[in-house]
Amino acid sequence: DFFDSGHTNNWAVLVDTSRFWFNYRHVANVLSMYRSVKRLGIPDSHIIMMLADDMACNPRNPRPASVYNNANQQINVYGDDVEVDYRGYEVTVENFIRVMTGRLPESTPRSKRLLSDDRSNILVYMTGHGGDGFLKFQDAEEISNVEMGDAFEQMWQKRRYHEVLYIIDTCQAESMFQTFYSPNIIGIASSKVGEDSLSHHVDPAIGVYIIDRYTYFALEFLESVTPDSKKTLGQFLRVCPKYQCRSTVAVRTDLFQRDPEKVLLTDFFGSVRNVEITMETLSLGNETTNPQMSNQVCRSVNMSDCF
């Protein structure tokens, strides 16, 4: 029962599908989530971030090179160490599906690939403008819930994930995971079908809404989580009740094999490595009996005191 979660590595795919200044909050949503997963241990090499617009460099930004998610401007979520993998017009439906399914051109660098396997737990977070059964990408195209469901099925068939936590913060967000049919996926939506997902507050200095309600309260919960925290996914599912969100948070758990109340939140938001200590001596095998060969090996790793 030591490795009861069944996964050995964690990935995060964070996607903002909106551009233009008045959608500042969607960029802040993704950057805030990025900050949280990095703080809990997922490295940049295991994070794919897509930002459809660069608010930090927008000429309307009164504080260049900064993006804030609260009116007090206490935390610059853009920071100095943000690695954006797909930005601007690279954020398309085609690129998103190619990243998820691994169907990228051979020239694509490793930093822009989702190199997950059948022991990977993947957090997928998406935010933008949507409707009943679709999510818009940059007001130019849209991805349907059927396409999204088929992408996850391709991933399952290709053994690209162990478990997936899918979070979407958009209007009528529940519709995006209603067509999922692949196993080991749990979905959280900021609004039910027929409901709008609302913003939280305006920063007068910036002049636009700077974060959405569900993401704001989800991040407030995540701030209390540490890498060794025992808080569960079940607790996270109850974040942002209707009196806070003004919309009804929808959850889908029928495809998920484990009880969310017994799943650590860090199974998706963190990257804690389980270590098992053994007192037994392990033989590595293929040991050489040639002293000259052994000396060559020692010199190759700068170990002058081998013998």
Side-chain angles (χ1 to χ4, degrees):
D1 295 332
F2 187 79
F3 300 104
D4 58 352
S5 67
H7 78 288
T8 59
N9 57 93
N10 289 80
W11 289 80
V13 180
L14 313 175
V15 185
D16 153 54
T17 64
S18 302
R19 59 187 303 110
F20 306 123
W21 178 249
F22 56 84
N23 290 319
Y24 181 104
R25 66 189 182 280
H26 295 152
V27 174
N29 288 346
V30 167
L31 289 172
S32 301
M33 198 64 68
Y34 169 80
R35 175 180 174 274
S36 291
V37 297
K38 279 194 69 175
R39 180 179 64 82
L40 292 173
I42 301 181
D44 274 314
S45 59
H46 281 213
I47 300 174
I48 303 295
M49 184 159 63
M50 295 181 158
L51 293 182
D53 208 341
D54 190 355
M55 297 305 173
C57 297
N58 192 297
R60 295 186 183 183
N61 191 344
R63 293 170 175 78
S66 302
V67 176
Y68 297 95
N69 66 357
N70 60 81
N72 297 324
Q73 299 175 7
Q74 295 175 337
I75 301 174
N76 174 19
V77 292
Y78 198 76
D80 297 325
D81 59 348
V82 171
E83 292 189 17
V84 182
D85 301 293
Y86 294 82
R87 70 171 69 238
Y89 290 109
E90 289 183 319
V91 182
T92 63
V93 173
E94 179 182 352
N95 280 344
F96 171 73
I97 292 181
R98 285 185 178 277
V99 166
M100 299 298 287
T101 59
R103 300 178 184 274
L104 289 162
E106 292 185 3
S107 59
T108 305
R110 288 178 61 89
S111 62
K112 301 178 77 166
R113 294 176 180 267
L114 179 65
L115 300 173
S116 55
D117 55 39
D118 62 343
R119 287 299 167 195
S120 301
N121 274 11
I122 306 176
L123 167 67
V124 181
Y125 173 86
M126 305 186 76
T127 184
H129 291 289
D132 189 356
F134 68 90
L135 173 64
K136 291 199 299 184
F137 272 67
Q138 308 205 41
D139 289 339
E141 56 181 346
E142 59 190 38
I143 185 171
S144 70
N145 54 4
V146 175
E147 291 172 312
M148 190 76 75
D150 288 344
F152 280 116
E153 177 62 16
Q154 286 188 54
M155 294 177 69
W156 177 252
Q157 295 293 341
K158 296 174 71 175
R159 300 169 65 87
R160 287 179 58 79
Y161 75 84
H162 175 64
E163 291 174 334
V164 170
L165 173 58
Y166 179 77
I167 303 175
I168 180 165
D169 191 348
T170 182
C171 295
Q172 307 197 57
E174 180 189 28
S175 64
M176 289 306 293
F177 58 58
Q178 287 180 327
T179 56
F180 288 4
Y181 55 96
S182 306
N184 295 355
I185 301 178
I186 187 166
I188 307 175
S190 62
S191 57
K192 286 198 168 187
V193 176
E195 292 183 344
D196 290 335
S197 185
L198 304 178
S199 306
H200 190 264
H201 63 274
V202 172
D203 183 347
I206 297 176
V208 292
Y209 285 97
I210 57 175
I211 195 166
D212 283 321
R213 297 191 77 87
Y214 174 78
T215 300
Y216 178 87
F217 289 105
L219 292 168
E220 189 175 61
F221 182 87
L222 289 172
E223 284 298 310
S224 65
V225 178
T226 58
D228 59 350
S229 173
K230 299 303 180 184
K231 294 194 174 182
T232 67
L233 184 56
Q235 292 174 288
F236 185 73
L237 297 182
R238 295 188 287 274
V239 164
C240 203
K242 191 167 184 177
Y243 75 89
Q244 288 182 326
C245 268
R246 311 288 175 83
S247 60
T248 308
V249 175
V251 176
R252 184 174 180 188
T253 61
D254 60 298
L255 298 172
F256 200 64
Q257 306 297 318
R258 295 194 285 159
D259 179 1
E261 299 295 339
K262 299 179 180 178
V263 177
L264 292 177
L265 192 58
T266 51
D267 280 1
F268 291 98
F269 283 92
S271 188
V272 178
R273 292 290 184 265
N274 292 319
V275 177
E276 186 172 11
I277 299 176
T278 177
M279 302 305 293
E280 299 177 5
T281 302
L282 301 179
S283 175
L284 299 179
N286 297 324
E287 297 171 351
T288 178
T289 57
N290 187 334
Q292 184 177 3
M293 181 70 70
S294 298
N295 279 321
Q296 290 175 356
V297 172
C298 290
R299 285 195 296 271
S300 70
V301 294
N302 297 321
M303 294 173 60
S304 58
D305 301 333
C306 283
F307 303 100

